[in-house]
Amino acid sequence: MTEPSLDVLAIGNAIVDVIAATDDAFLEAEGLAKGSMRLIDAAEATRLYGRMRQARETSGGSAGNTVAGIAGLGLRAGFIGQVAGDQLGEIFRHDITGLGVTFTTPVSHGGVPTARCLILVTPDAQRTMNTFLGASQHLPAAALDADQIKSAAILYLEGYLWDPEEPRWAMIKAIDIARNAGRKVAFTLSDSFCIARHRDGFNQLIDSGKIDILFANEEEIKALAGEEDFGAAVAATSGRVETLVVTRSEKGAMALRGRERVAVPAEPIAKVVDTTGAGDLFAAGFLAGQAQGRTLEESLRMGAIAAAEVISHYGARPETDLKALVAGKLG
C-alpha cells in the first residue's frame, strides 16, 4: 500500500453557513422551534436571510467543518462536495481552500444554487438551523476523483448526504474505492432524523463491514439500535464496527474497539456560547488523533479539546490555534 497523501478526505454537503445572533422573540415571530433544524426552499432562504441581523458567512456543512478542524490541527485534509458556479459557491471554495483543505470538485451547471444554512443563535447558545440544500444534494459519482480517494488514509462520510439518491450512490462508490485501496472508512450518523429515514440502510452499511469508525451521539445510537436504554444500544452496536465513538455532551465521550472501552470527560470551559459544530469538531480531533497513530484515549481527548474550543464562541470554526491548543494539553 502506498503512503497516503491525505490524512482525511471527507464527503459531505457543501454549505455556506450564515450565522447570526437573535433572541427568543424573533424565533417566536418566525414560528421557529428553538434548537430545531428544518429544510427550506430557495424562496424561504431568501426571505429569512433578509430578516436576519448582521451575519458571518463561511464554508460549512458537517463534513466541511470537520476537515477544517483537521487542517487546523496540522494534518492534510481534503473535501468532496458540490457547489454551483455562483457567488456563494465561490465563497465556499475560497474559504475552505484558504484553511488549507484540498477542494477540487468541479462546480455544477444545473441551475441549482449553492446550499446555505441560516443559523440563528440565541443567548442561551441554542442554534436554530434553516437549511437550503441546493446544489449540495446533486453530487454525482462522476465528480469523484478515484485517485484522491485512494490517496487518503481515512475516508469520512456524513449521514446528512445519504438522503438524496445521487450523492448516496457517489458515497457508496467512494467507500468501495477506499476499501479496495486498503483505507479506513469513517461514518457519522449526523442526526436522529437521518436515522428515522434511513435506519435500515445505515444498518445494512454497517453489517456489510464497510464502516471502520462510526460516530454517534446518545440519541442517535439508541435510534440506530432500536433501544431505549443507552447501555443496551452501545452493546448492540459496538461489536458491529471496528471502532464506535459516542459523544455525550457535558458527560464527555466514549470509544469502543474490541475489548477496549475508553471514556473521557468533557473539556471544561468558562461558558457555552454556541454549540454549532461541536460534533463536527469532535470528529476532527478524534480522526486527527487516529491518523497520527494516537491511542483511543488521546484521540477522544483531542476531540473533546476541539469541541470545547468551538462551543466557546459563535460559529463552527476554531478561532484559536487548535494544533497549539492540543500540544499544550496533550503534548
Side-chain angles (χ1 to χ4, degrees), residues 19 35 65 119-129 249-250 269 271-282 306-317:
I19 305 174
N65 293 335
I119 304 171
L120 299 162
V121 184
T122 43
D124 58 0
Q126 288 294 308
R127 53 182 178 152
T128 303
M129 299 189 293
S249 300
E250 71 278 0
I269 62 169
K271 180 183 178 181
V272 177
V273 176
D274 174 16
T275 56
T276 306
D280 304 333
L281 268 294
F282 182 91
E309 193 285 334
V310 84
I311 65 175
S312 67
H313 56 75
Y314 285 113
R317 295 292 166 78

Side-chain angles (χ1 to χ4, degrees), residues 233-299:
V234 170
T237 309
S238 61
R240 298 162 58 207
V241 291
E242 179 184 292
T243 305
L244 173 64
V245 182
V246 185
T247 57
R248 309 187 69 191
S249 300
E250 71 278 0
K251 292 178 284 188
M254 62 189 299
L256 299 92
R257 177 182 294 157
R259 296 183 178 180
E260 187 178 5
R261 182 186 180 110
V262 181
V264 301
E267 194 73 11
I269 62 169
K271 180 183 178 181
V272 177
V273 176
D274 174 16
T275 56
T276 306
D280 304 333
L281 268 294
F282 182 91
F286 184 87
L287 291 172
Q290 291 295 283
Q292 291 174 328
R294 292 180 181 254
T295 65
L296 285 182
E297 182 175 3
E298 290 174 322
S299 298

Side-chain angles (χ1 to χ4, degrees), residues 163-217:
D163 205 46
E165 186 173 355
E166 191 170 25
R168 188 189 318 147
W169 286 113
M171 292 168 81
I172 290 171
K173 180 179 178 181
I175 290 171
D176 288 340
I177 293 170
R179 294 200 67 83
N180 288 337
R183 305 306 191 187
K184 296 289 186 182
V185 176
F187 190 88
T188 176
L189 295 173
S190 292
D191 196 286
S192 292
F193 88 85
C194 296
I195 302 167
R197 292 174 63 85
H198 299 289
R199 181 172 179 266
D200 290 344
F202 287 168
N203 277 314
Q204 183 179 2
L205 189 67
I206 292 164
D207 290 333
S208 65
K210 294 187 176 182
I211 304 302
D212 300 295
I213 304 170
L214 180 67
F215 290 92
N217 64 25

